[in-house]
Amino acid sequence: HTQTFEKIILKPLYNLDSEKDEVPGKPPYTRGIYENGYQHHPLKICQVATGSNIKGTILEALENGQNTISFDVNKMGSEELIILLNDLPIEDYPLFLETGSGNRQEIIMEKLAEVNGLSDQQGAVVRDIITEWAERGSIPTKENNALSDWFHYIKNWNLSSPTIKTILVNSRPYHEAGADAVKEIAYSLSLGAHYIFEGMQAGLSAQETAEKIIFSFSIDSSFFMQIAKLRAARKLWFAVGKAYGQ
């Protein structure tokens, strides 16, 4: 037997009987949300394009098998962003953009809707406002106003772009600050639950808010523990959903 950093005892051998009560595509979704795994739902390959020739990098990646469009938007102006999006096949590939702090998310969602219309587009244009505050080490004086303003936008985007996810739960800062897998999941679930609460305060249902959320977990070299972390996160997020009546 081996004890992990999280003080979890690993057995020397695991077999099919270890998971006989849980199957893919069935609650609590420990082994994934799809009954056939990813045979009919291929994993999304999402490499963030950077540099001076983002368009060329993205097009080359798509030719080589990448099935999403993702690039660093933090140093781009709104006009530059519009030109780039006009030159990319965003109707054929889902977008995955992490917008970061400031008003970039509002600009991107508004500009994308104006230029191309994203009512049927898949993907994510997301930020994690609370984790941004944690990284900065300070909370705005009018914290409640900042959250309510953000969720006002999210509610409107749910009408104009209902299939685009807009809320990120980002565990990376907690992971890099030394949190073990247990703490990383705890911080992430508490953020997700609070975002559901804020969404309900803004007039969205728990289901509508949850459908806007994506989780981003850091993965390190403790391979089996990281797999266990992702599985545990799925299971516990299902429990959070049940608590909200989903």
Side-chain angles (χ1 to χ4, degrees):
H1 292 73
T2 305
Q3 181 171 289
T4 72
F5 177 58
E6 290 77 15
K7 303 189 185 309
I8 296 172
I9 302 299
L10 300 179
K11 299 177 183 178
L13 177 67
Y14 291 86
N15 54 36
L16 292 175
D17 290 335
S18 304
E19 298 183 317
K20 61 183 179 181
D21 294 329
E22 294 185 0
V23 295
K26 303 292 183 183
Y29 304 107
T30 307
R31 298 176 61 189
I33 61 174
Y34 302 121
E35 186 173 347
N36 295 312
Y38 292 96
Q39 296 181 42
H40 305 300
H41 300 84
L43 287 168
K44 298 291 188 293
I45 303 170
C46 188
Q47 184 69 37
V48 179
T50 59
S52 58
N53 184 20
I54 290 179
K55 175 186 172 182
T57 300
I58 292 173
L59 294 178
E60 181 180 1
L62 295 175
E63 288 180 4
N64 291 329
Q66 182 165 309
N67 54 8
T68 67
I69 292 174
S70 182
F71 53 90
D72 184 3
V73 305
N74 291 322
K75 297 180 180 180
M76 299 181 69
S78 58
E79 294 303 318
E80 182 184 5
L81 179 60
I82 291 171
I83 293 170
L84 177 61
L85 290 170
N86 279 332
D87 291 339
L88 293 174
I90 67 170
E91 295 83 5
D92 302 322
Y93 296 91
L95 289 164
F96 284 88
L97 304 176
E98 185 177 341
T99 64
S101 60
N103 65 345
R104 296 185 187 94
Q105 188 179 31
E106 296 98 289
I107 293 172
I108 291 168
M109 290 296 290
E110 289 171 7
K111 295 298 182 181
L112 290 178
E114 286 175 12
V115 174
N116 290 297
L118 291 177
S119 59
D120 298 322
Q121 177 62 285
Q122 300 294 318
V125 178
V126 293
R127 70 178 295 195
D128 182 349
I129 190 170
I130 293 178
T131 297
E132 290 167 16
W133 298 342
E135 286 187 292
R136 194 167 61 231
S138 63
I139 297 175
T141 305
K142 297 181 179 180
E143 171 194 352
N144 291 334
N145 288 349
L147 281 169
S148 62
D149 288 347
W150 184 44
F151 271 92
H152 172 75
Y153 284 115
I154 290 170
K155 182 179 179 181
N156 289 337
W157 296 331
N158 188 51
L159 298 174
S160 61
S161 304
T163 55
I164 294 287
K165 297 184 183 297
T166 48
I167 304 170
L168 173 67
V169 173
N170 179 16
S171 78
R172 184 182 65 250
Y174 311 107
H175 180 90
E176 293 178 351
D180 62 27
V182 175
K183 292 185 178 70
E184 189 178 341
I185 292 174
Y187 290 133
S188 299
L189 292 178
S190 65
L191 272 175
H194 188 70
Y195 285 148
I196 289 178
F197 170 78
E198 291 290 341
M200 294 173 69
Q201 293 291 102
L204 294 167
S205 68
Q207 178 73 28
E208 287 174 324
T209 309
E211 289 175 353
K212 297 292 146 193
I213 297 174
I214 63 172
F215 286 82
S216 177
F217 287 100
S218 289
I219 302 297
D220 61 32
S221 58
S222 302
F223 187 63
F224 291 107
M225 181 51 63
Q226 298 308 304
I227 293 174
K229 177 175 73 178
L230 298 178
R231 289 158 66 97
R234 288 195 197 107
K235 190 170 187 173
L236 292 170
W237 185 238
F238 171 75
V240 171
K242 284 190 68 176
Y244 279 99
Q246 295 184 51

